[in-house]
Amino acid sequence: MAITVQQIHPVAPLPLVLGVLRRLEVATVIDRLIPPHPAHGLSCGRGVEALVLAILDGHHALYKVGRRLEERGLVALRQPGLTRAALNDYRLGHILDALFAANLNTVFGAVALKALEVYAIATPWLHQDTTTIALYGAYADEPSSPGAPRPAYGHSKDGRGDLQQVLLSLGVSGDGGWPLRLGMRDGNTSDSVETPVAIEECLALGLEGVHGIVADSKAYSRRTVGLGLEKGLGLVTLVPRTCAVRQELEAWGQQQPALPLLVEKPGRTKDEACRQWHGQSVIRSVEVEYSDGRVTQEALRFLVVHSSQLAQQQTQAYIAAQEKEAAAVTAHIKQVQARWFACEADAEAAIAEYEGRGPGRRGRRPRPWRYHAVRYHSLAETRRTRRARRGRPAKMDPPPIESDYRLVVEVEPLAHAEEDNGWTVLATTVDAAVCSDA
C-alpha cells in the first residue's frame, strides 16, 4: 500500500500533553464554569488548552501562541475548523480576564478534582505551603479588578526585598502530589493569617477520606490550632524554634535517657550509617483561639523527635558557618586594633558601640557574631607622633610621643554541644489512639 506524506511537523511532546488535557476534560470543565459566547470562535476551555501547550513548548508571549501551534501542526487537531487567526493575543487576553473574573481558585479546584477522579488519587493528607512572587514595574495602590491581590513591599522569601510582591498559597495532595487549591493574596500577608483561610478553602473542596493537613512552622498559631480543634481536622505542623514550648520540650527530650525508636532507614551510601528517628509524644497546655474570638487553654499533643540525620547536617552546617564567620572576625579585629583614642572615655564608648550598648539603642541587643565570643578591653600605650615644627630635629631632641588608648580584642570560638543538634518538635491535633508516634 502506497503512503503519501503531505506534511511533516516537529510536534515534540505536545500531542502527549494534549492527550492528558483531553482525558482530564480541561476544556469541558472550564467551559462549564465560563459558558462560551456564540460570537466567539474560540471558547475559554480551548483557549486554555492552547496556552498550556504553548507554555510547555517554551513560548509565553500571547502573540506567539497561534504561530507556534501552527508550526507544530496542532491547530487542526485541537478543534475542527480552528485557524491560527482565532488564536490571536486579543482573544487570549480576554480569556485570561475571564478566568480571573471566574475566580482562579474555583477554576483550579474544579480541574484538580477532575484529575483526582480520573486518576483515582487518594488524598488522606493535604500539604499546605506559601511563597512570594516578586513583581517588576510600577503598580497602582489599589487594583482595578475587585478581589485582585495588591502588590506590596515586605519580607521576601526569595531574598528580593527591593521588589513588590504578592503571596502565593498552594495546597497539594501530598509531598510532590497534585495541586488542589490555589490562592493569591496581598503582598506582605502574614502566614499566620493566610493558613486558617487556606484550611477553610481546603475543607470547602469536599474531598472524601481527608484526615488532615500537613504544614511547616508558619502554620503554628493559636488560630490555626483552634480551627483544627473546631473542625475536628487533623493538623500536623512544625513548632517554630522561637516558641517557648519547643525550647522546653527540646530540653525535656535531652534529659531523657532514651526515647523510643520510631523509624530506621539504611544510609544513602555504603559509608553512611543508618538513619534513625527517636521520639515520644507529650501533652502540654497551650493557648488556642476559636472562631468567636475566645482564647482558652487546651491540651495539645506534641511529638518530640531526635533525628540522627538532622543532627549530622546541623553539626556540619555549624562548623562551616563558624569557619566562614572566622574570616569576618579576623577582618574586624584588624579594623578595631588600628583605631587610636585620645582618652579612656572614648575607648569605652567605642567598646559600647561594638557591643551594641551605645547611647540611643533600645530593645534587644544585636548579635553581630553568632559563632564566636568577642570581648574588648582598652589598653593605654605610647606611640610616636609627628613633630610640631618643620625642619630637621636636633640630635639630642627626644622623639615626640603621646599616650593614647587602643582596643584589644579577644576571640573565642563558641562550642556547640552535639546533643543539642537533631531535635525538632511537631504539634498535632490528631489523637494518639488514631495515629501512633511512628
Side-chain angles (χ1 to χ4, degrees), residues 19-75:
V20 174
L21 295 174
R22 293 289 171 81
R23 184 177 181 185
L24 295 178
E25 300 179 4
V26 172
T28 304
V29 172
I30 294 179
D31 288 341
R32 190 179 301 121
L33 296 172
I34 310 174
H37 193 277
H40 293 156
L42 180 68
S43 68
C44 289
R46 297 298 183 188
V48 169
E49 284 186 347
L51 289 171
V52 172
L53 293 172
I55 290 173
L56 295 181
D57 197 27
H59 289 267
H60 296 242
L62 296 183
Y63 73 92
K64 293 183 179 180
V65 172
R67 184 183 67 187
R68 191 60 175 174
L69 294 184
E70 187 179 45
E71 293 174 356
R72 297 298 193 189
L74 293 177
V75 175

Side-chain angles (χ1 to χ4, degrees), residues 124-194:
W125 292 93
L126 304 181
H127 289 228
Q128 161 66 25
D129 201 1
T130 59
T131 188
T132 54
I133 300 178
L135 303 175
Y136 296 82
Y139 293 87
D141 294 336
E142 294 295 334
S144 57
S145 302
R150 183 174 64 252
Y153 293 101
H155 172 68
S156 176
K157 298 180 182 180
D158 56 1
R160 293 304 306 268
D162 58 318
L163 298 176
Q164 289 184 317
Q165 55 170 300
V166 293
L167 185 73
L168 171 65
S169 176
L170 185 66
V172 299
S173 61
D175 189 9
W178 282 85
L180 300 177
R181 184 202 60 82
L182 174 69
M184 296 294 295
R185 315 300 183 199
D186 294 343
N188 203 32
T189 299
S190 172
D191 289 305
S192 60
V193 175
E194 162 58 20

Side-chain angles (χ1 to χ4, degrees), residues 281-295:
S281 289
V282 294
I283 304 296
R284 292 291 185 271
S285 180
V286 295
E287 288 187 346
V288 300
E289 180 181 350
Y290 292 100
S291 57
D292 56 2
R294 290 183 299 113
V295 178

